[in-house]
């Protein structure tokens, strides 16, 4: 499943290519991705036709596009969702589910690459008709219209801020971890405490911190939790710089490019390979219908309390 760095890469691409465009037409090619819209696919299309995209925002693993109506398009990529920007006329992707035809009107020029930065208020140029396409092979992702959700969709208001958010409260997070007897990995994956951290990056941060995922939060010191939070941020920053992590062709950015952070992973997916710190073969154990990867020497399992 795409995690915070992958979703942020997609958000940044939408900000470059979609913000300022008007939605001319909406085609729902499969109704499952819009299953949460009260009036179904026809209502979904009607509510969005003619609306202008004002911004591209993210909370944890959710994306939303605020509209000039005050509503928002809320998106979750699920296991395999992709948001692709394509010129009109490019052949449809095999698992294309929803197509948004965007206005070809004259718009301010935007940043299109590291060597070209154009001041939006000074230069205008014609823009060819483009399409925003929601592609989803496994169809666990979805799109919906959040009424009045331009600032923050009410559907995701319960989700905590992510550790890269400048308003993230480190002190509150540390206190909540230390007040809980749950395992530290479970706490990292709890989106009501800290959002955007998924299985891959949790394992990576725990490896860097030398912590076993089963260590209870209330057995960690404040400095240790703060250190772990710093590793979470470092892992995510490095993943962002490399475009995210891709283990197959299902995660891509809006231009169809995969991330390369998988080449830098120290723990996740490396069962049986030597730890890059001590050389001990890494282990994999089942965790919440997923897998956890760790070094048994650098990340010793917590001692079980003695039975009385």
């Amino acid at each position: 499943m795409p995690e915070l760095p992958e979703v942020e890469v997609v958000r940044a691409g939408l900000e470059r290519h979609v913000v300022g465009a008007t939605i001319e037409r909406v085609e729902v090619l499969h109704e499952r991705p819009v299953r949460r819209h009260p009036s179904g696919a026809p209502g979904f299309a009607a509510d969005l036709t003619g609306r202008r995209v004002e911004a591209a925002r993210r909370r944890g693993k959710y994306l939303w596009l605020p509209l000039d109506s005050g509503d928002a398009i809320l998106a979750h990529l699920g296991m395999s969702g992709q948001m692709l920007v394509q010129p009109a006329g490019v052949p449809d992707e095999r698992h294309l589910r929803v197509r948004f035809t965007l206005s070809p009107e004259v718009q301010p020029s935007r940043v299109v690459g590291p060597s070209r930065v154009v001041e939006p208020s000074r230069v205008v140029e014609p823009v060819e008709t483009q399409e925003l396409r929601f592609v989803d092979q496994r169809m666990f992702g979805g799109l919906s219209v959040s009424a009045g959700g331009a600032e923050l969709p009410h559907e995701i208001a319960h989700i905590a801020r992510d550790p890269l958010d400048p308003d993230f409260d480190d002190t509150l997070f540390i206190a909540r971890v230390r007040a809980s007897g749950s395992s530290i990995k479970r706490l990292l994956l709890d989106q009501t405490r800290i959002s955007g951290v998924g299985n891959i990056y949790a394992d990576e941060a725990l490896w860097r911190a030398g912590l076993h995922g089963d260590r209870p939060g209330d057995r960690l010191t404040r400095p240790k939790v703060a250190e772990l939070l710093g590793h979470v941020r470092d892992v995510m920053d490095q993943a962002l710089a490399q475009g995210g992590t891709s283990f197959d062709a299902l995660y891509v950015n809006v231009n169809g490019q995969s991330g390369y952070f998988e080449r830098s992973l120290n723990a996740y997916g490396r069962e049986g390979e030597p730890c890059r710190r001590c050389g001990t073969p890494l282990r994999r154990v089942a965790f919440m219908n997923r897998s956890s990867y760790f070094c048994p020497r650098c990340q010793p399992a917590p001692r079980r309390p003695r039975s009385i």
Side-chain angles (χ1 to χ4, degrees), residues 240-297:
L240 274 170
Q242 297 183 46
T245 304
S246 290
F247 286 99
D248 55 32
L250 296 182
Y251 160 66
V252 295
N253 64 18
V254 296
N255 296 315
Q257 299 168 326
S258 296
Y260 295 99
F261 189 63
E262 63 172 305
R263 301 173 186 176
S264 304
L265 295 176
N266 291 301
Y268 190 88
R270 299 188 62 238
E271 180 184 14
E273 297 181 32
C275 172
R276 289 176 175 148
R277 253 193 317 248
C278 70
T280 303
L282 296 179
R283 292 182 185 174
R284 177 180 65 87
V285 294
F287 176 81
M288 295 174 60
N289 296 320
R290 309 176 215 184
S291 294
S292 282
Y293 298 84
F294 67 99
C295 173
R297 181 175 180 182

Side-chain angles (χ1 to χ4, degrees), residues 130-255:
Q130 289 186 318
E131 295 176 354
L132 173 61
R133 299 178 178 182
F134 182 70
V135 178
D136 193 359
Q137 176 179 327
R138 298 168 184 163
M139 290 201 291
F140 292 121
L143 304 173
S144 61
V145 177
S146 176
E151 187 63 30
L152 175 64
H154 64 88
E155 296 90 342
I156 60 173
H158 65 287
I159 296 177
R161 294 182 182 274
D162 67 68
L164 301 186
D165 189 318
D167 292 325
F168 184 85
D169 190 331
D170 289 28
T171 301
L172 177 61
F173 173 73
I174 292 170
R176 295 184 70 185
V177 167
R178 298 190 69 244
S180 175
S182 295
S183 69
I184 184 58
K185 182 169 182 180
R186 188 178 293 271
L187 293 172
L188 286 176
L189 298 181
D190 183 348
Q191 301 297 297
T192 66
R193 299 174 188 267
I194 181 171
S195 68
V197 183
N199 202 38
I200 296 173
Y201 298 120
D203 280 358
E204 290 301 299
L206 289 167
W207 181 87
R208 294 186 183 204
L211 284 174
H212 193 284
D214 286 343
R215 184 71 60 88
D218 58 9
R219 296 189 185 179
L220 298 176
T221 64
R222 287 184 181 85
K224 195 62 180 179
V225 180
E227 177 193 343
L228 174 62
L229 184 57
H231 288 305
V232 169
R233 289 192 171 110
D234 289 344
V235 168
M236 288 185 169
D237 282 336
Q238 292 172 25
L240 274 170
Q242 297 183 46
T245 304
S246 290
F247 286 99
D248 55 32
L250 296 182
Y251 160 66
V252 295
N253 64 18
V254 296
N255 296 315

Side-chain angles (χ1 to χ4, degrees), residues 37-38 43-44 47-48 67 71-74 143-147 154-155:
H37 195 74
F44 178 83
D47 288 346
L48 297 178
L67 306 172
D71 298 336
I73 302 173
L74 180 62
L143 304 173
S144 61
V145 177
S146 176
H154 64 88
E155 296 90 342

Side-chain angles (χ1 to χ4, degrees), residues 45-68:
D47 288 346
L48 297 178
T49 301
R51 301 268 63 94
R52 187 178 67 250
V53 179
E54 299 290 313
R57 295 175 179 164
R58 177 187 54 76
R59 173 66 69 93
K61 302 176 187 179
Y62 282 87
L63 293 163
W64 78 94
L65 300 176
L67 306 172
D68 59 351

